[in-house]
Amino acid sequence: MAESIKILYRGGEGELVEKKSRFIATTRPVESEEEAIAFIEEMKKKYWDARHNCFAYVIGERGQIQRCSDDGEPSQTAGRPMLDVLLGEEIRNICVVVTRYFGGTLLGTGGLVRAYSGAVQEGLANSAVVEKFLGNRLAITTDYNGIGKIQYTAAQMGLTTLDTQYTDQVVVTLMVPAAEKDRFIAQVTEKTAGKALIEDMGTLYYGMLDQELILFE
């Protein structure tokens, strides 16, 4: 599993106008080629009266699946520039369709490349992109003498607290980056003299959006 992946979390729409031609970019999160194809067909039906519905998508942790289409525009002026934007931003599991309503003026190859690239950037600006990090959910059981030391260590490492339960003991659940797990466990063990009970509740991806933690179960 990759330590971090940037994905499209929530799709959006953006538009730009170039010499009276409208370029409407719509993004959608996809996890398979079948989902991407279904989305492209959905956009073609929605914008059935448009001159072109060009697309690009990147799927997989390493971007294993990459496809694009000029949909009738001159070769390499639409789909490839769109794909290049996605690859440049290193976004995975994303499909974007740029719909063009022709305005009557030819833009030339350079103008088309700029318009389709710019439309994708407008679409991304109105979407939610999240970087997912590989982490471990750790539940730590300690006495009241140890909780302050654990919370201090967590704060020093910038860790996110998921839950804290107070009974005769304290159970604090933290999200710890996978790469930092061993170091954090070693510090907690040292500062509590080995009295804290640490349970690894499993590995999962997590990310932040608008200062809120998102868990990808």
Side-chain angles (χ1 to χ4, degrees), residues 114-179:
R114 287 190 297 273
Y116 278 100
S117 299
V120 173
Q121 290 163 347
E122 288 293 325
L124 290 175
N126 294 313
S127 305
V129 174
V130 172
E131 187 165 7
K132 300 195 307 183
F133 297 92
L134 190 63
N136 290 76
R137 195 161 27 189
L138 301 182
I140 305 164
T141 304
T142 183
D143 56 27
Y144 280 79
N145 291 326
I147 185 61
K149 299 170 185 176
I150 293 168
Q151 289 173 332
Y152 177 78
T153 302
Q156 288 291 101
M157 294 179 65
L159 305 182
T160 301
T161 301
L162 301 177
D163 185 44
T164 307
Q165 297 179 12
Y166 296 90
T167 55
D168 55 327
Q169 292 184 304
V170 183
V171 181
V172 58
T173 305
L174 299 164
M175 181 57 64
V176 183

Side-chain angles (χ1 to χ4, degrees), residues 29-125:
V30 292
E31 295 193 0
S32 68
E33 199 157 16
E34 290 76 16
E35 285 186 24
I37 292 168
F39 168 58
I40 293 162
E41 289 305 312
E42 178 187 329
M43 290 297 99
K44 286 182 176 180
K45 288 178 182 176
K46 179 178 180 179
Y47 296 111
W48 59 271
D49 57 340
R51 178 71 68 91
H52 306 281
N53 282 288
C54 306
F55 68 79
Y57 55 84
V58 181
I59 301 169
E61 286 187 4
R62 300 181 305 279
Q64 303 96 307
I65 301 173
Q66 302 175 15
R67 302 281 187 275
C68 62
S69 169
D70 296 311
D71 192 37
E73 293 281 29
S75 179
Q76 304 291 302
T77 62
R80 185 69 222 188
M82 292 166 59
L83 183 61
D84 285 343
V85 173
L86 303 184
L87 295 175
E89 296 288 342
E90 298 184 337
I91 303 173
R92 307 291 184 251
N93 295 354
I94 179 172
C95 182
V96 58
V97 176
V98 175
T99 302
R100 181 189 184 189
Y101 284 94
F102 184 56
T105 302
L106 297 175
L107 301 182
T109 55
L112 288 172
V113 169
R114 287 190 297 273
Y116 278 100
S117 299
V120 173
Q121 290 163 347
E122 288 293 325
L124 290 175

